[in-house]
Amino acid sequence: MDFIIDMFYKKTETQTGDRFVLTIYPKVNPEEGEMWLRKAAEAQESVAMRVLGYRLLVGQGLEQNIEEGEKWLQKAAEAGEVIAMREWETI
């Protein structure tokens, strides 16, 4: 079975309120996965920004868009996401 990493929005019952949780799900609904991944990235979740950027850069599960991928990867790096910082240095 093919697995992909996606962000899914989950409302918590804790004092932190709503938050995004990184989960791994079987690749059964890529459109919904992309929607939630973008939603998390737009909410400034640094891991979501990195994952979205990478997937856009290489065309993994999304139509390849280098310009947009670089934008999201840079935002993640600027937000302090360590893996994104390393990946951004190689571009």
Side-chain angles (χ1 to χ4, degrees):
M1 183 175 282
D2 190 14
F3 284 85
I4 57 173
I5 298 176
D6 281 318
M7 290 282 178
F8 285 85
Y9 188 66
K10 178 180 178 182
K11 185 172 181 172
T12 63
E13 298 297 326
T14 67
Q15 293 178 344
T16 59
D18 297 343
R19 67 189 192 106
F20 288 92
V21 181
L22 179 64
T23 56
I24 300 174
Y25 286 100
K27 186 177 179 179
V28 294
N29 190 339
E31 293 82 18
E32 184 178 5
E34 179 183 356
M35 177 193 72
W36 288 114
L37 181 59
R38 285 184 180 279
K39 187 175 180 90
E42 290 165 0
Q44 306 304 307
E45 290 288 336
S46 61
V47 173
M49 290 188 282
R50 174 181 52 85
V51 171
L52 179 59
Y54 175 79
R55 290 177 63 184
L56 286 164
L57 279 172
V58 300
Q60 180 188 33
L62 303 173
E63 184 176 332
Q64 187 176 26
N65 184 328
I66 293 171
E67 185 178 324
E68 186 181 5
E70 287 177 348
K71 176 190 88 168
W72 284 112
L73 193 58
Q74 182 180 13
K75 285 182 173 237
E78 290 171 352
E81 212 285 327
V82 177
I83 296 171
M85 292 166 69
R86 283 184 291 192
E87 290 177 355
W88 182 247
E89 289 176 1
T90 65
I91 293 178

